[in-house]
Amino acid sequence: MEQKWVIGVDLGGTTVKIAFLTTAGDLIDSWEIPTDNSEEGKNITIDIAKSIEEKLNKWNHSKQEVAGVGMGAPGPFDYETGIIYNTVNLGWPDNFPLKERLEAELGLPVIIDNDANCAALGEMWKGAGAGSKDLVCVTLGTGVGGGVIVNGDIVQGVKGAAGEIGHLTSVVENGAPCNCGKTGCLETIASATGIVRVAKEFLGAAKEAGELQEILNEQGTFTAKDVFDAARNGDKVACDVISYIAQHLGLALANIANTLNPEKIVLGGGVSKAGDVLLKPVEEYFKAYSFKSVAQSTNLDVATLGNVAGVIGAAWLAKA
């Protein structure tokens, strides 16, 4: 008899990542397909099912030897029914029955969780958090996402909204507007877009030009990577921006750690690739704002799985 496999699906607005893994977490195959959000996204589940079936046939592996399918999807949704309440980038109407639809198309049991939660589960299972049962994963990308794991289980909350770390309020008064409808969220500061926004604000108040201003003059804009590169080169405004961002991020992480005292806080996403220029000041602020025993027992680390964290964590759902 063939070994049981689990299937992970990481559903994004542009692409769908899919992977076959053993129940021990060994990666067998992984690939991507485009997300077809035309016609109210009616083809998304059809395309996913068709792609999985084609790959199973290629591997000569039957559905009977698949334990199940885990999917990370952009929430919010009902964890019991697998109904997604609303989606911005997928084209589906409100209250779309994702679990029911994919199970019908594929003929396999499906478990759904938030995509940020799946990234956290992936890092716990096979990434930077391997061996840790108490873990917080913070994804610093276009936005700021989060997943909280306590004693090996994802914390979902009564409405599935636990772990919305990006929407912790960082600026109480006169904060920048966030896509969630609030103002002053951590996401408006520590995301890639937030870093650029903050840097442009700082440049507007700067008394002397530097590398970052030169990039802006030449290109009309700049990226978060440009800010980090300029800081490495000693650009004063860029250094001030990073100190500001690190203080807010360090404070938010300290408050999370003071509440949960996880073994690790894992930072992932494109912004985390900045390396020590960001992570060192974040760690300094984190230790300064943390309760003493928390500062001594909770470690900051960088995610190791990159873009496959979500699909690996989704497969873990099917194994659990």
Short mmCIF file of all heavy atoms in Angstrom, two decimals, residues 56-108:
data_model
loop_
_atom_site.label_atom_id
_atom_site.label_comp_id
_atom_site.label_asym_id
_atom_site.label_seq_id
_atom_site.Cartn_x
_atom_site.Cartn_y
_atom_site.Cartn_z
N LEU A 56 -1.78 14.01 -9.27
CA LEU A 56 -1.91 12.69 -8.66
C LEU A 56 -1.76 11.61 -9.72
O LEU A 56 -1.10 10.58 -9.50
CB LEU A 56 -3.26 12.56 -7.95
CG LEU A 56 -3.41 13.27 -6.61
CD1 LEU A 56 -4.85 13.19 -6.11
CD2 LEU A 56 -2.46 12.67 -5.56
N ASN A 57 -2.36 11.84 -10.89
CA ASN A 57 -2.23 10.88 -11.98
C ASN A 57 -0.78 10.76 -12.44
O ASN A 57 -0.28 9.66 -12.72
CB ASN A 57 -3.11 11.29 -13.16
CG ASN A 57 -4.59 11.08 -12.88
OD1 ASN A 57 -4.95 10.24 -12.05
ND2 ASN A 57 -5.44 11.85 -13.54
N LYS A 58 -0.10 11.90 -12.50
CA LYS A 58 1.31 11.89 -12.91
C LYS A 58 2.16 11.07 -11.94
O LYS A 58 3.07 10.35 -12.36
CB LYS A 58 1.83 13.33 -12.97
CG LYS A 58 3.30 13.45 -13.32
CD LYS A 58 3.77 14.90 -13.30
CE LYS A 58 5.27 14.99 -13.52
NZ LYS A 58 5.77 16.38 -13.46
N TRP A 59 1.83 11.16 -10.65
CA TRP A 59 2.58 10.43 -9.63
C TRP A 59 2.02 9.01 -9.42
O TRP A 59 2.53 8.26 -8.58
CB TRP A 59 2.54 11.19 -8.31
CG TRP A 59 3.51 12.33 -8.26
CD1 TRP A 59 3.27 13.64 -8.58
CD2 TRP A 59 4.89 12.27 -7.86
NE1 TRP A 59 4.39 14.40 -8.42
CE2 TRP A 59 5.41 13.59 -7.97
CE3 TRP A 59 5.72 11.24 -7.43
CZ2 TRP A 59 6.73 13.89 -7.65
CZ3 TRP A 59 7.03 11.55 -7.12
CH2 TRP A 59 7.53 12.85 -7.23
N ASN A 60 0.98 8.67 -10.16
CA ASN A 60 0.35 7.35 -10.03
C ASN A 60 -0.06 7.08 -8.58
O ASN A 60 0.15 5.98 -8.03
CB ASN A 60 1.29 6.24 -10.53
CG ASN A 60 0.56 4.94 -10.79
OD1 ASN A 60 -0.64 4.95 -11.09
ND2 ASN A 60 1.26 3.83 -10.66
N HIS A 61 -0.65 8.11 -7.98
CA HIS A 61 -1.07 8.05 -6.57
C HIS A 61 -2.57 8.29 -6.51
O HIS A 61 -3.08 9.29 -7.03
CB HIS A 61 -0.33 9.13 -5.76
CG HIS A 61 -0.30 8.87 -4.29
ND1 HIS A 61 0.67 8.09 -3.69
CD2 HIS A 61 -1.10 9.29 -3.29
CE1 HIS A 61 0.46 8.06 -2.38
NE2 HIS A 61 -0.61 8.78 -2.12
N SER A 62 -3.31 7.38 -5.89
CA SER A 62 -4.77 7.48 -5.88
C SER A 62 -5.26 8.40 -4.77
O SER A 62 -4.57 8.64 -3.77
CB SER A 62 -5.38 6.09 -5.70
OG SER A 62 -5.16 5.62 -4.38
N LYS A 63 -6.49 8.86 -4.91
CA LYS A 63 -7.10 9.69 -3.88
C LYS A 63 -7.30 8.92 -2.59
O LYS A 63 -7.32 9.51 -1.50
CB LYS A 63 -8.45 10.23 -4.37
CG LYS A 63 -8.34 11.30 -5.43
CD LYS A 63 -9.73 11.85 -5.77
CE LYS A 63 -9.66 12.88 -6.89
NZ LYS A 63 -11.01 13.41 -7.22
N GLN A 64 -7.46 7.62 -2.71
CA GLN A 64 -7.63 6.79 -1.51
C GLN A 64 -6.40 6.84 -0.61
O GLN A 64 -6.49 6.55 0.59
CB GLN A 64 -7.94 5.33 -1.90
CG GLN A 64 -9.35 5.11 -2.45
CD GLN A 64 -9.53 5.69 -3.84
OE1 GLN A 64 -8.58 5.76 -4.63
NE2 GLN A 64 -10.76 6.14 -4.14
N GLU A 65 -5.28 7.19 -1.18
CA GLU A 65 -4.04 7.28 -0.41
C GLU A 65 -3.69 8.72 -0.05
O GLU A 65 -2.54 9.05 0.20
CB GLU A 65 -2.89 6.63 -1.19
CG GLU A 65 -3.11 5.15 -1.45
CD GLU A 65 -3.39 4.38 -0.17
OE1 GLU A 65 -2.71 4.63 0.84
OE2 GLU A 65 -4.30 3.53 -0.18
N VAL A 66 -4.69 9.58 -0.04
CA VAL A 66 -4.54 10.97 0.40
C VAL A 66 -5.34 11.16 1.68
O VAL A 66 -6.56 10.89 1.71
CB VAL A 66 -5.01 11.96 -0.68
CG1 VAL A 66 -4.97 13.40 -0.14
CG2 VAL A 66 -4.16 11.85 -1.93
N ALA A 67 -4.67 11.60 2.74
CA ALA A 67 -5.35 11.77 4.03
C ALA A 67 -6.33 12.94 4.00
O ALA A 67 -7.37 12.91 4.67
CB ALA A 67 -4.32 11.99 5.14
N GLY A 68 -6.02 13.97 3.24
CA GLY A 68 -6.91 15.11 3.15
C GLY A 68 -6.20 16.32 2.56
O GLY A 68 -5.02 16.27 2.21
N VAL A 69 -6.95 17.40 2.44
CA VAL A 69 -6.45 18.64 1.86
C VAL A 69 -6.61 19.76 2.89
O VAL A 69 -7.68 19.93 3.47
CB VAL A 69 -7.24 19.01 0.58
CG1 VAL A 69 -6.72 20.32 0.00
CG2 VAL A 69 -7.17 17.89 -0.43
N GLY A 70 -5.53 20.48 3.12
CA GLY A 70 -5.60 21.67 3.95
C GLY A 70 -5.43 22.89 3.08
O GLY A 70 -4.65 22.88 2.12
N MET A 71 -6.19 23.92 3.38
CA MET A 71 -6.11 25.14 2.56
C MET A 71 -5.97 26.37 3.44
O MET A 71 -6.71 26.55 4.41
CB MET A 71 -7.35 25.30 1.67
CG MET A 71 -7.40 26.66 0.94
SD MET A 71 -8.90 26.89 -0.03
CE MET A 71 -8.43 26.07 -1.55
N GLY A 72 -5.02 27.22 3.09
CA GLY A 72 -4.91 28.54 3.69
C GLY A 72 -5.58 29.54 2.77
O GLY A 72 -5.26 29.61 1.59
N ALA A 73 -6.53 30.29 3.32
CA ALA A 73 -7.29 31.24 2.51
C ALA A 73 -7.38 32.58 3.24
O ALA A 73 -7.33 32.61 4.47
CB ALA A 73 -8.70 30.69 2.23
N PRO A 74 -7.50 33.64 2.50
CA PRO A 74 -7.66 34.94 3.15
C PRO A 74 -9.04 35.05 3.79
O PRO A 74 -10.05 34.95 3.10
CB PRO A 74 -7.49 35.94 1.99
CG PRO A 74 -7.83 35.17 0.76
CD PRO A 74 -7.45 33.76 1.02
N GLY A 75 -9.09 35.18 5.09
CA GLY A 75 -10.35 35.23 5.83
C GLY A 75 -11.01 36.58 5.70
O GLY A 75 -10.62 37.38 4.87
N PRO A 76 -12.03 36.84 6.51
CA PRO A 76 -12.53 35.99 7.60
C PRO A 76 -13.52 34.95 7.09
O PRO A 76 -14.15 35.13 6.06
CB PRO A 76 -13.23 37.01 8.52
CG PRO A 76 -13.72 38.05 7.58
CD PRO A 76 -12.70 38.15 6.49
N PHE A 77 -13.63 33.86 7.86
CA PHE A 77 -14.57 32.81 7.46
C PHE A 77 -14.99 32.01 8.68
O PHE A 77 -14.43 32.14 9.77
CB PHE A 77 -13.96 31.90 6.39
CG PHE A 77 -12.63 31.31 6.78
CD1 PHE A 77 -12.57 30.12 7.48
CD2 PHE A 77 -11.45 31.94 6.45
CE1 PHE A 77 -11.35 29.57 7.84
CE2 PHE A 77 -10.23 31.40 6.80
CZ PHE A 77 -10.19 30.21 7.50
N ASP A 78 -16.00 31.17 8.49
CA ASP A 78 -16.50 30.31 9.54
C ASP A 78 -15.69 29.01 9.54
O ASP A 78 -15.69 28.28 8.55
CB ASP A 78 -17.98 30.00 9.31
CG ASP A 78 -18.61 29.21 10.45
OD1 ASP A 78 -18.15 28.08 10.70
OD2 ASP A 78 -19.56 29.72 11.07
N TYR A 79 -14.99 28.74 10.63
CA TYR A 79 -14.09 27.59 10.68
C TYR A 79 -14.85 26.26 10.59
O TYR A 79 -14.32 25.29 10.07
CB TYR A 79 -13.24 27.62 11.95
CG TYR A 79 -12.09 28.60 11.87
CD1 TYR A 79 -12.24 29.91 12.28
CD2 TYR A 79 -10.86 28.21 11.36
CE1 TYR A 79 -11.19 30.81 12.21
CE2 TYR A 79 -9.81 29.10 11.27
CZ TYR A 79 -9.98 30.40 11.69
OH TYR A 79 -8.95 31.29 11.60
N GLU A 80 -16.04 26.21 11.11
CA GLU A 80 -16.78 24.94 11.10
C GLU A 80 -17.36 24.62 9.74
O GLU A 80 -17.30 23.48 9.27
CB GLU A 80 -17.89 24.99 12.16
CG GLU A 80 -17.37 25.01 13.59
CD GLU A 80 -18.50 24.92 14.61
OE1 GLU A 80 -19.66 24.72 14.20
OE2 GLU A 80 -18.21 25.06 15.80
N THR A 81 -17.91 25.62 9.07
CA THR A 81 -18.57 25.38 7.79
C THR A 81 -17.64 25.61 6.59
O THR A 81 -17.91 25.13 5.50
CB THR A 81 -19.80 26.28 7.63
OG1 THR A 81 -19.36 27.66 7.60
CG2 THR A 81 -20.77 26.08 8.78
N GLY A 82 -16.55 26.36 6.80
CA GLY A 82 -15.66 26.69 5.70
C GLY A 82 -16.25 27.71 4.75
O GLY A 82 -15.84 27.81 3.59
N ILE A 83 -17.20 28.52 5.25
CA ILE A 83 -17.79 29.59 4.44
C ILE A 83 -16.95 30.86 4.62
O ILE A 83 -16.73 31.31 5.74
CB ILE A 83 -19.25 29.86 4.86
CG1 ILE A 83 -20.12 28.66 4.47
CG2 ILE A 83 -19.77 31.14 4.21
CD1 ILE A 83 -21.56 28.78 4.95
N ILE A 84 -16.48 31.42 3.51
CA ILE A 84 -15.75 32.69 3.55
C ILE A 84 -16.76 33.82 3.49
O ILE A 84 -17.58 33.90 2.58
CB ILE A 84 -14.75 32.79 2.38
CG1 ILE A 84 -13.59 31.82 2.59
CG2 ILE A 84 -14.21 34.19 2.26
CD1 ILE A 84 -12.39 32.07 1.73
N TYR A 85 -16.68 34.71 4.50
CA TYR A 85 -17.68 35.79 4.59
C TYR A 85 -17.53 36.80 3.46
O TYR A 85 -18.51 37.19 2.82
CB TYR A 85 -17.56 36.49 5.94
CG TYR A 85 -17.86 35.60 7.12
CD1 TYR A 85 -16.99 35.56 8.20
CD2 TYR A 85 -18.99 34.79 7.15
CE1 TYR A 85 -17.23 34.73 9.29
CE2 TYR A 85 -19.24 33.95 8.23
CZ TYR A 85 -18.37 33.93 9.30
OH TYR A 85 -18.61 33.11 10.37
N ASN A 86 -16.32 37.25 3.23
CA ASN A 86 -16.10 38.18 2.11
C ASN A 86 -14.63 38.13 1.70
O ASN A 86 -13.76 37.87 2.51
CB ASN A 86 -16.50 39.62 2.48
CG ASN A 86 -15.87 40.08 3.78
OD1 ASN A 86 -14.67 40.31 3.85
ND2 ASN A 86 -16.68 40.22 4.82
N THR A 87 -14.40 38.36 0.43
CA THR A 87 -13.04 38.35 -0.12
C THR A 87 -12.87 39.56 -1.03
O THR A 87 -13.75 39.88 -1.82
CB THR A 87 -12.75 37.07 -0.91
OG1 THR A 87 -13.75 36.93 -1.93
CG2 THR A 87 -12.77 35.85 -0.02
N VAL A 88 -11.72 40.19 -0.93
CA VAL A 88 -11.47 41.39 -1.73
C VAL A 88 -10.91 41.02 -3.10
O VAL A 88 -11.30 41.59 -4.12
CB VAL A 88 -10.49 42.32 -0.99
CG1 VAL A 88 -10.16 43.54 -1.85
CG2 VAL A 88 -11.06 42.75 0.35
N ASN A 89 -10.01 40.04 -3.15
CA ASN A 89 -9.25 39.79 -4.37
C ASN A 89 -9.64 38.53 -5.14
O ASN A 89 -9.04 38.24 -6.18
CB ASN A 89 -7.75 39.69 -4.03
CG ASN A 89 -7.21 40.96 -3.42
OD1 ASN A 89 -7.55 42.04 -3.87
ND2 ASN A 89 -6.40 40.83 -2.39
N LEU A 90 -10.61 37.79 -4.64
CA LEU A 90 -10.91 36.50 -5.27
C LEU A 90 -12.17 36.51 -6.13
O LEU A 90 -12.43 35.55 -6.86
CB LEU A 90 -11.03 35.41 -4.19
CG LEU A 90 -9.73 35.16 -3.41
CD1 LEU A 90 -9.99 34.19 -2.26
CD2 LEU A 90 -8.65 34.61 -4.31
N GLY A 91 -12.95 37.57 -6.03
CA GLY A 91 -14.12 37.68 -6.90
C GLY A 91 -15.36 36.99 -6.39
O GLY A 91 -16.45 37.14 -6.96
N TRP A 92 -15.25 36.18 -5.34
CA TRP A 92 -16.40 35.45 -4.84
C TRP A 92 -17.44 36.37 -4.20
O TRP A 92 -17.07 37.38 -3.60
CB TRP A 92 -15.96 34.43 -3.78
CG TRP A 92 -15.22 33.25 -4.33
CD1 TRP A 92 -15.40 32.66 -5.53
CD2 TRP A 92 -14.17 32.53 -3.67
NE1 TRP A 92 -14.53 31.60 -5.68
CE2 TRP A 92 -13.77 31.49 -4.55
CE3 TRP A 92 -13.55 32.63 -2.43
CZ2 TRP A 92 -12.77 30.59 -4.23
CZ3 TRP A 92 -12.55 31.73 -2.11
CH2 TRP A 92 -12.17 30.73 -3.00
N PRO A 93 -18.70 36.01 -4.32
CA PRO A 93 -19.72 36.75 -3.57
C PRO A 93 -19.56 36.49 -2.08
O PRO A 93 -18.90 35.53 -1.67
CB PRO A 93 -21.04 36.17 -4.11
CG PRO A 93 -20.67 34.80 -4.61
CD PRO A 93 -19.27 34.92 -5.12
N ASP A 94 -20.15 37.33 -1.26
CA ASP A 94 -20.09 37.13 0.19
C ASP A 94 -20.66 35.77 0.57
O ASP A 94 -21.55 35.23 -0.10
CB ASP A 94 -20.87 38.23 0.91
CG ASP A 94 -20.15 39.57 0.86
OD1 ASP A 94 -18.99 39.60 0.40
OD2 ASP A 94 -20.75 40.59 1.26
N ASN A 95 -20.12 35.21 1.67
CA ASN A 95 -20.58 33.92 2.21
C ASN A 95 -20.41 32.79 1.20
O ASN A 95 -21.32 31.98 0.99
CB ASN A 95 -22.04 34.03 2.67
CG ASN A 95 -22.23 35.10 3.73
OD1 ASN A 95 -21.45 35.20 4.67
ND2 ASN A 95 -23.26 35.92 3.56
N PHE A 96 -19.22 32.73 0.61
CA PHE A 96 -18.94 31.69 -0.39
C PHE A 96 -18.60 30.38 0.32
O PHE A 96 -17.71 30.34 1.18
CB PHE A 96 -17.77 32.13 -1.27
CG PHE A 96 -17.43 31.15 -2.36
CD1 PHE A 96 -18.17 31.10 -3.52
CD2 PHE A 96 -16.37 30.26 -2.21
CE1 PHE A 96 -17.85 30.20 -4.53
CE2 PHE A 96 -16.05 29.36 -3.21
CZ PHE A 96 -16.79 29.31 -4.37
N PRO A 97 -19.26 29.26 -0.05
CA PRO A 97 -19.03 27.97 0.63
C PRO A 97 -17.78 27.25 0.11
O PRO A 97 -17.87 26.24 -0.59
CB PRO A 97 -20.31 27.19 0.28
CG PRO A 97 -20.72 27.72 -1.06
CD PRO A 97 -20.34 29.18 -1.06
N LEU A 98 -16.62 27.75 0.48
CA LEU A 98 -15.35 27.27 -0.08
C LEU A 98 -15.11 25.80 0.23
O LEU A 98 -14.79 25.01 -0.66
CB LEU A 98 -14.20 28.12 0.43
CG LEU A 98 -12.79 27.70 0.01
CD1 LEU A 98 -12.66 27.62 -1.50
CD2 LEU A 98 -11.76 28.67 0.59
N LYS A 99 -15.23 25.42 1.47
CA LYS A 99 -14.98 24.03 1.87
C LYS A 99 -15.92 23.08 1.12
O LYS A 99 -15.48 22.09 0.51
CB LYS A 99 -15.19 23.87 3.38
CG LYS A 99 -15.14 22.44 3.89
CD LYS A 99 -15.39 22.41 5.39
CE LYS A 99 -15.70 21.02 5.91
NZ LYS A 99 -14.52 20.13 5.85
N GLU A 100 -17.19 23.38 1.13
CA GLU A 100 -18.18 22.53 0.46
C GLU A 100 -17.91 22.42 -1.03
O GLU A 100 -17.97 21.33 -1.61
CB GLU A 100 -19.58 23.11 0.71
CG GLU A 100 -20.71 22.35 0.02
CD GLU A 100 -22.04 23.07 0.22
OE1 GLU A 100 -22.46 23.25 1.39
OE2 GLU A 100 -22.66 23.46 -0.80
N ARG A 101 -17.57 23.54 -1.65
CA ARG A 101 -17.35 23.56 -3.10
C ARG A 101 -16.11 22.76 -3.48
O ARG A 101 -16.14 21.96 -4.43
CB ARG A 101 -17.22 25.01 -3.56
CG ARG A 101 -17.35 25.21 -5.06
CD ARG A 101 -18.77 24.93 -5.56
NE ARG A 101 -19.75 25.80 -4.96
CZ ARG A 101 -20.07 27.02 -5.41
NH1 ARG A 101 -19.45 27.52 -6.46
NH2 ARG A 101 -21.01 27.71 -4.83
N LEU A 102 -15.01 22.94 -2.74
CA LEU A 102 -13.78 22.22 -3.09
C LEU A 102 -13.92 20.73 -2.80
O LEU A 102 -13.43 19.90 -3.58
CB LEU A 102 -12.59 22.80 -2.32
CG LEU A 102 -11.22 22.24 -2.71
CD1 LEU A 102 -10.95 22.40 -4.21
CD2 LEU A 102 -10.10 22.90 -1.90
N GLU A 103 -14.58 20.37 -1.72
CA GLU A 103 -14.81 18.95 -1.43
C GLU A 103 -15.64 18.30 -2.53
O GLU A 103 -15.37 17.15 -2.93
CB GLU A 103 -15.50 18.79 -0.07
CG GLU A 103 -14.57 19.01 1.10
CD GLU A 103 -15.24 18.78 2.44
OE1 GLU A 103 -16.50 18.88 2.51
OE2 GLU A 103 -14.54 18.50 3.43
N ALA A 104 -16.63 19.02 -3.04
CA ALA A 104 -17.47 18.48 -4.11
C ALA A 104 -16.67 18.30 -5.40
O ALA A 104 -16.83 17.30 -6.12
CB ALA A 104 -18.67 19.40 -4.34
N GLU A 105 -15.81 19.25 -5.70
CA GLU A 105 -15.02 19.19 -6.94
C GLU A 105 -13.94 18.11 -6.86
O GLU A 105 -13.64 17.46 -7.86
CB GLU A 105 -14.35 20.55 -7.20
CG GLU A 105 -15.28 21.72 -7.42
CD GLU A 105 -15.98 21.68 -8.75
OE1 GLU A 105 -15.65 20.81 -9.59
OE2 GLU A 105 -16.85 22.53 -8.97
N LEU A 106 -13.36 17.94 -5.66
CA LEU A 106 -12.17 17.09 -5.53
C LEU A 106 -12.48 15.70 -4.98
O LEU A 106 -11.73 14.75 -5.23
CB LEU A 106 -11.16 17.80 -4.62
CG LEU A 106 -9.74 17.27 -4.56
CD1 LEU A 106 -9.14 17.11 -5.95
CD2 LEU A 106 -8.87 18.19 -3.72
N GLY A 107 -13.54 15.57 -4.20
CA GLY A 107 -13.86 14.28 -3.62
C GLY A 107 -12.93 13.88 -2.49
O GLY A 107 -12.69 12.69 -2.25
N LEU A 108 -12.38 14.88 -1.78
CA LEU A 108 -11.51 14.65 -0.63
C LEU A 108 -11.91 15.58 0.51
O LEU A 108 -12.45 16.67 0.27
CB LEU A 108 -10.05 14.91 -1.00
CG LEU A 108 -9.36 13.89 -1.89
CD1 LEU A 108 -8.02 14.44 -2.40
CD2 LEU A 108 -9.13 12.58 -1.14
#
